[in-house]
Amino acid sequence: RRVLFRSQATAAAQPVATTYTSAQIDQWVAPIALYPDNLLSQVLMASTYPSNVVQAVEWSQDNPTMKGDAAVQAVANQPWDPSVKSLVAFPSLLALMGENAPWVENLGNAFLAQPQAVMDSVQRLRAIAQQTGTLKSTPQQKVITATRSAAPAPATSTATASRSSSVVTSSAPAQVIKIESTNPNVVYVPA
């Protein structure tokens, strides 16, 4: 028993460095890739706190009439990350996240391990949606396409930076597609 306990403690204390494939990342990012940028960033950050997300989902289920700013104010004293607190404004989004806890955890792990790959996936999926006509400006959202400027290599160790910059150069889309709400006070969650 002591050896088993020590092994588990060692494994928990030392996270395994994992590299995810583009296909895996695309699968995890696809459900949220067309969200407005400000909501997308909150979901990505919140996914790095999966236990907080579970608690927020339970809170949302226990308080079905709460949404918007009133819901965010109601959870102000919760010990959750601010990104998770912000999501209680969107009960339907939290319900989606609550239906698939492994997806939330995988998305969060990918975002922590390979943030640039996650953002590149968002851009690839948005470009595909734009080319097929499913992503366009509407009365609720503005879709803005801009040419990507040369991105500097991330400030990390030399070995990581050289790997990251080669990945960025080879897989980063030439354009950046931004999605913004037409009314900055209202965020629409795509269905």
Side-chain angles (χ1 to χ4, degrees):
R1 283 189 172 170
R2 290 180 194 188
V3 173
L4 179 61
F5 178 74
R6 242 185 255 145
S7 299
Q8 289 173 341
T10 304
Q14 298 173 355
V16 178
T18 305
T19 301
Y20 302 102
T21 66
S22 291
Q24 288 174 307
I25 292 173
D26 286 353
Q27 179 181 1
W28 299 324
V29 169
I32 60 169
L34 302 184
Y35 283 12
D37 291 352
N38 56 354
L39 182 58
L40 173 69
S41 64
Q42 294 300 316
V43 171
L44 290 173
M45 287 185 288
S47 69
T48 65
Y49 297 93
S51 63
N52 284 188
V53 170
V54 169
Q55 293 168 350
V57 167
E58 290 170 358
W59 181 91
S60 184
Q61 290 169 344
D62 291 344
N63 298 278
T65 60
M66 297 291 284
K67 61 183 175 183
D69 289 339
V72 175
Q73 290 172 359
V75 298
N77 292 329
Q78 294 291 339
W80 311 331
D81 184 76
S83 63
V84 176
K85 291 178 186 180
S86 73
L87 294 184
V88 299
F90 309 99
S92 61
L93 172 56
L94 270 181
L96 170 72
M97 295 176 84
E99 290 172 6
N100 196 343
W103 166 70
V104 172
E105 190 168 345
N106 287 330
L107 179 64
N109 288 340
F111 187 59
L112 287 171
Q114 296 168 255
Q116 188 61 53
V118 169
M119 299 314 294
D120 289 346
S121 174
V122 167
Q123 291 302 314
R124 274 194 311 277
L125 294 169
R126 286 179 175 184
I128 292 167
Q130 196 173 46
Q131 290 164 5
T132 60
T134 55
L135 178 61
K136 54 189 167 192
S137 292
T138 66
Q140 295 80 22
Q141 71 182 16
K142 292 184 285 188
V143 177
I144 303 162
T145 304
T147 304
R148 181 184 295 256
S149 59
T156 56
S157 70
T158 307
T160 304
S162 65
R163 267 187 272 135
S164 295
S165 63
S166 67
V167 169
V168 169
T169 315
S170 64
S171 68
Q175 295 186 330
V176 175
I177 301 170
K178 298 178 184 178
I179 303 173
E180 298 175 356
S181 297
T182 53
N183 178 346
N185 297 322
V186 179
V187 177
Y188 293 94
V189 180

